[in-house]
Each structure stands twice: as structure tokens, then as C-alpha cells.
Amino acid sequence: MINNSEWKSLSQLKMDGGGISKAVAVVACAAMALFYVAILYAPTLILRLPPPPSFKNFMIRRFICAAISSVVSVFVSALLLPMKSREASSLLGVYGIRMDHIWQAVIFPLTLTALMYGGSLVLKSLLLMSALREHMNFGGGLSFNNIKSFSEEIVACSCSIASDVLVWRTYVVAPLTEELVFRACMLPLLLCGGFQKSTVIFLCPIFFSLAHLNHLKDVYSKQNYNLTKAFLAIGLQLGYTVVFGSYASFLFIQTGHFLAPLVAHAFCNFMGLPVLVSRGKGIVSVASVAGIVGFLWLLFPMTRPELYNDRTDNCVCWQGYCSGN
């Protein structure tokens, strides 16, 4: 963790002309958020390209736009950050892209995030067991042929999912590009701009949530062009993104590892909104409460910086960099 003297070192670095101001950091983050959304519409509105022939091609075009936005954000933040070394290893370390402590950065945040979905996981398990029982009863009980048939259905379903472009968007492209832009690029800028960690945890998600306003048109059509319902749906979505964005920012700041918020993001996209209650299934409510209690109890112990760094007074991540080491 960074103590007060280390933050003073950072402040002195800024006064010596080697840092960035809060205004520059905020403007840069706002520009990156705007560019992340605007570039999605560039092929049609700016380049005047013809509409893609299929939905798959449309999504691939958006994947390319998101990748370009991510690369530009990395380049811009690298120019603005007052780095002592421009070596690739130093830059990647600031962004939390590291090859050390990988299993800790995956297992601990994933376990912690799963606790928030205790009720959802129990409900999914109950539905899966129910479907399995129905399949067995329909096929004449438990037999080798039934098990083989069920396994083949799972494999076929998995192959279908793996080839679905929406799956790639939801679980790969969106988490990867969003975490790179809104966490790896923005958080070091805000931290090195002089903002306190507690401020950054709640400030950065604002940029993240505003970037989701481009869904307003789609939500408006899905709500049968009812403006009130559309705004309520968008409000719920923005609230959820702010909460998750704060959690993801906390993970990145505590661990200094890019994988920590990345796996949490992909898992949350897979699970959706947490299920707290389910009619006729009290065990779901019990699991939800137990999961939330477990999450709050383990939040800080499972995100201690020393679990993800060999030492926190001279590490390669943003913590060592932003402290002026």
C-alpha cells in the first residue's frame, strides 16, 4: 500500500514539472471515454463505408474499432504519464500487464466476485440438476447411452457458443478493451494526477458508465419506444456499471494486476445481475446473504497488495511507479 510520504513524493514530482495536473488527467480520461464510443460509429458516419453485409461482419468491424481505440488510449496515456523509463517492461508494469502472480490475480478476484453471485450460482445449479433429471427420465433413466447423448449435447452447445460473435463480444472483446482503457490507462493517469485512491475508485467509473450511454437508442427500441421505460432501464444499467466500475477499479488499485479486473469483468458479464431471491427456493436467498457476507468479510484480506507483488515498496506495478520509486 502507498503511505502518505509516498504520495508526498508524487506531489513533489508534479511540482518539479515531471507530473501531470488533475485537470489534464480528467480531460484525458474524458477524451478516451468519448473516443472509445465515437470510433464505433466512425466507419459509417466519417469514413462513409457501406453497411456490413451481415451482423457478424458488423460486430467484427466494431471489434476492430474497439482495438484501435484501446491502442490509441495506451499511446496517449504513455505520452502523458511522467515515466522515468520508456521501456516496454516499465510501461506494461504501469498498466498492470505482468507475467508474475498470474494465478493469484485470477483465482482470488474470481473467487471474491463469485461470492456476490452466491444466489445466482445456486439457482443455476438447481436448474441444471433439474434439466439433467428430466433428460434422464425422458431417456429411460441413467445409462451409458443417456450419458453419452447428454455429453454430446453439451459439446455441440459449447461449439455453437464458441462460434457466436456475441459471445466473443461479451466475454472477450468488451472486457479486454474496456479494462484496458477504463482501468489500465485511466487509473494511472488519475492517480499520478494527484487524486486520492478513494476518489479515483468512484471517479473513474463515471467515465465507464457514460461510455455506455450509446446503448440508449437500442434500449429505447426494445422498450417499444417508451421514453420513460428507456430512461429507467438506462438508469439501472448506469447504476450497475458505476458499482461494478468501482469494484474493478478497487481490484486494479489493490493488486496492480490487469488480470484481476479482467476476470471479474468477464465473470460478471456471464452471470448478469445477481439473483437475490427466487420464488419457492429459499436456499437461493440464504446463499445470496451468505455470499454477500463472505464477500464483505474477504474483500480486503483477498486483495492485499502483498499477495500480488513480491514487495510493495519497489514493485513494477503502478504502486511502485506512482510513489516515485
Side-chain angles (χ1 to χ4, degrees), residues 53 112 197-198 225 228 246 252 288:
L112 192 62
K197 289 187 293 182
S198 57
Y225 301 98
T228 302
S246 298
F252 184 85
S288 297

Side-chain angles (χ1 to χ4, degrees), residues 243-322:
V243 172
F244 171 77
S246 298
Y247 173 59
S249 298
F250 174 83
L251 287 177
F252 184 85
I253 289 175
Q254 287 290 101
T255 67
H257 215 299
F258 178 71
L259 283 178
L262 178 62
V263 296
H265 194 151
F267 183 78
C268 287
N269 280 2
F270 174 74
M271 296 299 296
L273 290 174
V275 176
L276 301 179
V277 294
S278 180
R279 182 177 298 178
K281 296 181 176 64
I283 190 175
V284 173
S285 301
V286 173
S288 297
V289 174
I292 293 173
V293 171
F295 172 81
L296 296 175
W297 182 43
L298 295 173
L299 179 60
F300 287 96
M302 292 188 71
T303 57
R304 288 182 291 115
E306 54 265 31
L307 292 176
Y308 306 88
N309 303 278
D310 291 328
R311 51 183 300 182
T312 57
D313 59 341
N314 188 24
C315 59
V316 297
C317 67
W318 72 264
Q319 298 186 45
Y321 162 65
C322 274

